């Protein structure tokens, strides 16, 4: 497997995505992620982004999800020129971020990441470029302190992710399937958020509130709209969402994968196997199908449903957490309407 994508693979991707855009009415977005996508270097990044932007107009968002360490003014100029936004992964204040985000020198990456964020914030095109932060929740952290820290960073928005894990290998920080450490943490965050008169937008909470109030969102692991993610690996092979790897070895692979260089992307996405993969997004467990908050929770992310034996036919391992969060969210909204009626 190539560590980095070759130019011929990049050309094939741009060509195939242009064909896809011509073929389907539905817009799609492209995210460069890793590993660390900025390891590709400025020259290759410019080559790739120029190809993609020449093939797809700005109605197709292109973004980079980076650990922030390799952000430079030169990289940002390239992103600006090619209308590509940059989101940075950071889990919170130093003690929390450096618990799991460790660099090659075996030291926490916090100082380098914050330096990268500062460069991003000070770029002349920062309003377009700065796509916000992505944090993986550590339920042992102080939710209020995490929120205040992200506000101090002046991020335009932040999104939070539940940790990888499933019914067989519980997520770190979750004592049992029925315990609610993450739901309690999210509820604390929700309270701080709703009590802030000048809040920092939190995408996961905004999306849940939107659905709770009757709207829809199209996002992995939320709501019941169909949503699909295809990964193109560095060697050009099309893969399933790489988060599935945490379920079992090979869970992210198609049985009959194609390489983007074969020029058959349209045939592949019309194939039975790809369709079955997309359908996995829809929850199948009886508990989810009967659940009063299915339209908000959507049965969670696919990887969180895995259990050895029953496979993906389960509610999310975060089911209790989601129920607690939505219950608290509903109560807070009811109180708000009562006060403002
Ligand atoms: S809260 Fe639980 S049962 Fe309800 S949709 Fe989510 S995972 Fe399924």
């Amino acid at each position: 497997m190539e560590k980095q994508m070759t130019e011929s693979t990049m050309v094939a991707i741009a060509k195939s995505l242009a064909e896809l855009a011509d073929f389907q009415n539905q817009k799609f977005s492209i995210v460069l992620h890793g590993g660390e996508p900025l390891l590709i270097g400025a020259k290759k990044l410019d080559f790739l982004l120029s190809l993609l932007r020449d093939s797809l107009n700005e109605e197709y968002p292109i973004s980079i999800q980076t650990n922030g360490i390799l952000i430079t003014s030169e990289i940002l100029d390239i992103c600006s020129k090619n209308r590509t936004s940059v989101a940075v992964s950071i889990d919170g204040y130093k003690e929390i971020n450096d618990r799991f985000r460790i660099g090659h020198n075996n030291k926490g990456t916090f100082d380098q990441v914050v330096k990268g964020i500062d460069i991003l914030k000070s770029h002349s095109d920062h309003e377009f470029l700065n796509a916000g932060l992505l944090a993986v929740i550590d339920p042992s952290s102080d939710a209020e302190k995490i929120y205040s820290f992200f506000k101090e960073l002046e991020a335009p928005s932040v999104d939070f992710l539940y940790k990888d894990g499933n019914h067989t290998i519980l997520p770190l920080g979750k004592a049992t399937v029925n315990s609610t450490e993450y739901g309690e943490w999210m509820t604390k965050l929700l309270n701080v958020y709703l009590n802030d008169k000048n809040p920092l937008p939190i995408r996961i909470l905004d999306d849940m509130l939107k659905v709770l109030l009757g709207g829809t969102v199209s996002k992995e692991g939320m709501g019941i709209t169909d949503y699909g993610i295809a990964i193109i690996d560095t060697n050009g092979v099309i893969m399933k969402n790489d988060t599935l790897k945490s379920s079992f070895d090979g869970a992210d692979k198609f049985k009959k994968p194609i390489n983007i260089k074969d020029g058959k992307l349209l045939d592949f996405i019309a194939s039975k196997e790809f369709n079955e993969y997309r359908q996995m997004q829809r929850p199948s467990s009886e508990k989810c199908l009967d659940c009063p908050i299915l339209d908000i929770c959507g049965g969670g992310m696919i990887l969180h449903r895995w259990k050895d034996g029953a496979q993906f036919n389960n509610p999310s391992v975060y089911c209790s957490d989601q129920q607690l969060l939505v219950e608290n969210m509903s109560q807070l909204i009811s109180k708000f309407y009562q006060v403002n009626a």
Side-chain angles (χ1 to χ4, degrees):
M1 163 87 69
E2 296 99 320
K3 277 198 172 163
Q4 288 192 2
M5 212 170 252
T6 61
E7 291 190 352
S8 63
T9 305
M10 295 178 186
V11 170
I13 290 172
K15 186 166 176 283
S16 295
L17 294 183
E19 283 169 7
L20 180 63
D22 277 347
F23 173 76
Q24 66 175 36
N25 291 326
Q26 186 101 21
K27 298 282 184 289
F28 52 86
S29 53
I30 299 163
V31 182
L32 273 59
H33 75 123
E36 171 47 46
L38 296 185
L39 280 171
I40 197 174
K43 199 165 158 233
K44 270 191 164 183
L45 182 71
D46 194 18
F47 182 80
L48 174 59
L49 294 182
S50 302
L51 280 171
L52 291 172
R53 220 9 121 205
D54 286 349
S55 305
L56 300 166
N57 65 38
E58 285 186 50
E59 288 179 53
Y60 295 83
I62 304 175
S63 61
I64 297 177
Q65 185 67 48
T66 170
N67 63 22
I69 295 172
L70 296 173
I71 290 178
T72 61
S73 302
E74 185 189 12
I75 292 282
L76 295 177
D77 289 345
I78 290 166
C79 292
S80 174
K81 182 182 78 163
N82 294 298
R83 309 320 287 153
T84 298
S85 61
V86 179
V88 179
S89 303
I90 178 170
D91 293 341
Y93 44 90
K94 188 175 174 73
E95 178 198 336
I96 293 302
N97 184 77
D98 288 355
R99 199 173 279 174
F100 298 107
R101 295 195 185 268
I102 306 292
H104 292 301
N105 56 3
N106 262 345
K107 290 191 178 142
T109 59
F110 180 85
D111 295 337
Q112 292 167 284
V113 181
V114 170
K115 193 171 160 206
I117 292 171
D118 285 341
I119 297 171
L120 177 57
K121 273 165 37 185
S122 56
H123 191 275
S124 57
D125 194 19
H126 67 94
E127 283 192 15
F128 167 78
L129 288 172
N130 193 347
L133 307 174
L134 178 66
V136 178
I137 299 167
D138 181 339
S140 71
S141 66
D142 179 332
E144 187 169 354
K145 206 169 151 191
I146 294 273
Y147 180 78
S148 303
F149 168 72
F150 285 146
K151 273 198 84 172
E152 278 165 27
L153 276 185
E154 298 169 340
S157 65
V158 60
D159 209 359
F160 287 92
L161 273 181
Y162 288 142
K163 277 192 199 297
D164 287 359
N166 53 52
H167 292 263
T168 303
I169 302 171
L170 287 177
L172 209 66
K174 202 164 160 57
T176 70
V177 169
N178 295 322
S179 62
T180 54
E181 297 87 344
Y182 284 79
E184 288 162 35
W185 192 93
M186 286 296 286
T187 300
K188 280 183 202 150
L189 183 72
L190 175 70
N191 270 302
V192 181
Y193 184 47
L194 293 180
N195 282 310
D196 186 350
K197 293 206 164 37
N198 182 26
L200 159 67
I202 299 178
R203 281 179 242 157
I204 185 171
L205 293 179
D206 287 347
D207 286 342
M208 290 178 87
L209 287 163
K210 187 175 167 194
V211 181
L212 199 56
L213 294 169
T216 54
V217 291
S218 182
K219 182 174 179 178
E220 188 195 15
M222 187 172 293
I224 46 174
T225 50
D226 273 349
Y227 187 84
I229 291 178
I231 306 281
I232 304 170
D233 222 327
T234 46
N235 59 2
V237 171
I238 300 185
M239 309 281 287
K240 298 179 185 178
N241 193 335
D242 57 352
T243 59
L244 292 175
K245 274 191 280 202
S246 63
S247 313
F248 62 91
D249 200 20
D252 58 334
K253 293 189 171 74
F254 288 101
K255 280 189 208 118
K256 291 185 196 160
I258 64 152
N259 193 302
I260 199 85
K261 286 186 274 191
D262 299 342
K264 291 182 180 161
L265 178 65
L266 294 187
D267 292 342
F268 187 65
I269 60 170
S271 70
K272 188 165 169 261
E273 192 179 7
F274 190 79
N275 211 27
E276 282 169 1
Y277 160 61
R278 283 197 69 211
Q279 303 259 340
M280 283 170 74
Q281 174 72 35
R282 298 182 189 166
S284 55
S285 83
E286 277 180 31
K287 188 175 175 190
C288 288
L289 297 178
D290 287 340
C291 178
I293 61 165
L294 174 63
D295 56 343
I296 304 169
C297 171
M301 294 173 76
I302 305 170
L303 78 144
H304 295 142
R305 298 179 200 154
W306 176 261
K307 185 179 189 175
D308 288 355
Q311 303 199 346
F312 294 105
N313 188 22
N314 308 289
S316 168
V317 70
Y318 289 108
C319 180
S320 310
D321 301 278
Q322 289 286 83
Q323 287 181 355
L324 181 76
L325 176 60
V326 175
E327 191 186 314
N328 286 323
M329 206 173 251
S330 307
Q331 282 174 8
L332 286 166
I333 289 177
S334 303
K335 262 193 221 158
F336 177 83
Y337 277 120
Q338 278 162 18
V339 169
N340 291 283

